[in-house]
Amino acid sequence: MSQAAPEPALEIREILAIDAVARTRSFRTAAELINTTQPTLSRLIASAERMLGTALFSRGWSGAETTPPGDVAARVCRAVIAAIDNSERTIFPDRELGREGLRLRLNLRNVHLQAIEAVTREGSVTLAAKRLGRGQPELSRALSDFSKRLGVELFERRASGMAPLAPAHELTALSGRIAYLLGLLPEQLGELNGAVVGRVSIGMLPFSGQDLIARSFARLTNLHPNVRLACVPGSYNGLVEALRRREIDRIVGVLRGGDCPEGLIEDHLYDERFTVVARRDHPLRAAGEDLAALAATKWVVAPH
């Protein structure tokens, strides 16, 4: 007995939206990337979040940051898009990818995949429509719409029915790959329960132990892969404001002592040594050990 394959949990446009925002960290830039408007993109993200039952993005210091579930969803969406792009290379080996109107990822819809898969397996639009519980005209329109969008023939009409051509076979296989990848998403989201999750964002001032932060982040990533780590460079005043707004968690930099802003607490982490390198005829060469002379010198770094 024939039966319909499970429909993908996310619409392809939602998958593109999640991937674009995760990569660009900007709704405006992401909308441009997938050729849509920002309000439409916001609706796609909201729809995906409702379906998954969790927030995927939060507004942060550097834009739209993924939440721990957002990180998981973004990885799955990236794998789905890679599968779509691989199918495009198979179907259109001689076409230049990226040309207007020829990108499979931007033109493919769930209704296309469902119609193509059903007709491929049933060999008939009528039987495929019954299998999906839809009208025959609706399936015919979906097939025609896809062929016009991509300029490709999917089936050959024969006396015995609709014979799938190579693109139809490839897209049917793609439908299965997408269903498999999206089927992993609920389990992977469930694995976050009980795991160490969250976001740690460190504001970094110049000359402030970037190598130590990098090593610490590497260790934390190995111990807790679902924790999102971010390093945010910036000016002292800008990072202080971000800290007050709770957009970052800590600032690593030179201690200010009595000049520490009100409401903040400084902790000593380590001592750092600096070396001043000057050419032979530089004025500092003669006064390099005089702290007063060093303090009075005009530097190209922050005064502190």
Side-chain angles (χ1 to χ4, degrees):
M1 184 178 93
S2 298
Q3 75 180 61
E7 293 189 4
L10 290 171
E11 291 287 335
I12 291 175
R13 293 187 71 200
E14 295 170 349
I15 291 170
L16 293 176
I18 292 170
D19 173 71
V21 176
R23 286 195 289 126
T24 64
R25 297 188 295 185
S26 164
F27 274 69
R28 180 182 60 80
T29 306
E32 295 174 355
L33 190 65
I34 63 173
N35 294 336
T36 191
T37 64
Q38 190 169 334
T40 298
L41 178 71
S42 297
R43 286 194 293 271
L44 291 171
I45 294 297
S47 174
E49 290 178 330
R50 285 194 299 271
M51 195 282 299
L52 295 175
T54 186
L56 301 178
F57 299 96
S58 62
R59 299 284 182 176
W61 165 261
S62 55
E65 298 284 350
T66 50
T67 62
D71 286 329
V72 173
R75 287 196 295 269
V76 171
C77 290
R78 180 98 297 264
V80 169
I81 293 172
I84 294 174
D85 289 347
N86 286 335
S87 289
E88 180 171 12
R89 296 184 185 94
T90 300
I91 297 171
F92 309 111
D94 300 324
R95 284 185 178 177
E96 179 184 349
L97 299 186
R99 287 174 51 198
E100 185 73 22
L102 294 181
R103 289 295 300 197
L104 183 59
R105 64 164 75 171
L106 294 179
N107 289 281
L108 186 63
R109 301 288 182 265
N110 290 42
V111 65
H112 297 148
L113 282 179
Q114 292 157 9
I116 293 168
E117 180 184 8
V119 175
T120 297
R121 299 193 185 284
E122 298 294 342
S124 161
V125 176
T126 301
L127 294 177
K130 291 181 180 179
R131 178 182 180 220
L132 295 176
R134 297 176 181 173
Q136 182 177 339
E138 181 183 353
L139 253 65
S140 296
R141 284 195 299 271
L143 295 175
S144 175
D145 178 63
F146 181 85
S147 294
K148 290 179 180 177
R149 283 173 180 255
L150 276 297
V152 61
E153 292 296 324
L154 297 169
F155 300 95
E156 180 181 335
R157 293 184 179 274
R158 296 178 182 173
S160 57
M162 301 287 284
L165 302 176
H169 284 298
E170 175 60 31
L171 291 166
T172 297
L174 173 63
S175 180
R177 288 194 289 271
I178 292 176
Y180 169 76
L181 290 169
L182 293 181
L184 300 176
L185 190 52
E187 179 182 351
Q188 293 181 4
L189 290 174
E191 290 175 355
L192 295 178
N193 296 327
V196 178
V197 299
R199 176 179 177 273
V200 178
S201 184
I202 303 297
M204 292 292 297
L205 291 168
F207 311 108
S208 301
Q210 285 91 336
D211 58 327
L212 298 177
I213 298 298
R215 290 202 295 269
S216 298
F217 275 17
R219 185 179 180 187
L220 282 170
T221 298
N222 289 330
L223 292 174
H224 307 294
N226 293 313
V227 174
R228 181 172 177 81
L229 304 172
C231 186
V232 182
S235 67
Y236 186 78
N237 290 337
L239 292 176
V240 165
E241 289 305 311
L243 187 61
R244 293 189 189 279
R245 293 193 299 266
R246 302 184 184 278
E247 293 176 350
I248 60 176
D249 302 295
R250 297 288 189 276
I251 298 173
V252 176
V254 177
L255 296 176
R256 295 303 179 97
D259 294 329
C260 178
E262 183 180 356
L264 302 186
I265 298 174
E266 290 188 332
D267 287 323
H268 177 267
L269 296 178
Y270 65 96
D271 293 315
E272 188 159 18
R273 298 177 63 86
F274 295 93
T275 299
V276 178
V277 180
R279 64 181 186 271
R280 288 180 179 275
D281 59 343
H282 195 280
L284 282 178
R285 183 166 178 80
E289 297 182 4
D290 185 345
L291 289 179
L294 290 175
T297 302
K298 292 183 178 180
W299 298 90
V300 292
V301 296
H304 63 276

